[in-house]
Amino acid sequence: MDAVTGWLPALTFILGLLAIILEIFIIPGFGVAGLAGILLIGWTVALVTVDFSQATEALVLALIATILIFIVSVILLSRFNFWQRVTLKEKQHKDTGYAAVQTGLGRFLGGTGITLTPLRPSGSAEVDGHRLDVVTEGEYIAAGSRIEVIKVEGSRIIVRVLRK
């Protein structure tokens, strides 16, 4: 069995497929592994074809067909309001309780306040005049208890009951 018609195309196809799987599941984004996978699979196509110009023609036709199908799909999906059917129609407003992740919560570290709701283990508390979503280390804290911020991890504020 000749290497060009036997094991080499199978090896390049498997390596290309593994590179693409690696790119999708282990290395997010589009980088070296994805590009290597595409090149290896393209090389496989070139290896298994008898005529290189015929393979190139087939790849170019497949690329053109893919682009046309994509364009037609976008036009048809927008005509039938597909995106409105799969997206939320209601807007989230801050005054109804929706808020983006707050940054700079580290300033509350060591601050004291009072729980506004029971913490089971999460709830709301007022710390230094700000209403915050907080969690405990696992224990229950009743509403109205004095608390202390002991840790801030990103947008997660961890509190414990303040003992007198």
Side-chain angles (χ1 to χ4, degrees):
M1 180 180 283
D2 189 7
V4 173
T5 59
W7 60 271
L8 188 57
L11 179 66
T12 57
F13 181 76
I14 291 170
L15 288 177
L17 197 59
L18 287 175
I20 289 175
I21 290 171
L22 182 74
E23 180 75 30
I24 292 171
F25 293 110
I26 297 176
I27 307 169
F30 187 77
V32 174
L35 187 59
I38 291 171
L39 290 175
L40 285 169
I41 289 177
W43 187 25
T44 302
V45 171
L47 284 174
V48 296
T49 59
V50 178
D51 185 11
F52 185 73
S53 64
Q54 187 181 14
T56 305
E57 181 182 320
L59 286 175
V60 169
L61 287 175
L63 181 64
I64 291 171
T66 302
I67 291 170
L68 287 176
I69 289 170
F70 176 75
I71 291 170
V72 169
S73 297
V74 168
I75 291 170
L76 288 176
L77 292 177
S78 63
R79 181 171 293 171
F80 295 115
N81 294 328
F82 176 77
W83 301 117
Q84 283 75 26
R85 292 180 185 178
V86 297
T87 57
L88 293 175
K89 294 177 181 149
E90 296 180 19
K91 293 184 178 181
Q92 299 175 343
H93 299 282
K94 187 176 182 179
D95 57 341
T96 57
Y98 296 104
V101 175
Q102 297 177 348
T103 58
L105 295 176
R107 69 179 188 269
F108 295 110
L109 186 62
T112 59
I114 189 165
T115 57
L116 301 174
T117 63
L119 304 183
R120 302 181 186 150
S122 65
S124 296
E126 184 176 306
V127 178
D128 296 335
H130 294 85
R131 182 184 175 106
L132 302 171
D133 292 327
V134 298
V135 296
T136 68
E137 292 178 303
E139 69 271 11
Y140 171 81
I141 298 177
S145 301
R146 301 245 332 131
I147 51 140
E148 176 184 22
V149 176
I150 58 170
K151 192 184 296 181
V152 176
E153 298 174 338
S155 62
R156 187 169 180 235
I157 300 172
I158 303 167
V159 298
R160 72 174 161 212
V161 68
L162 192 61
R163 307 272 183 227
K164 293 182 182 178

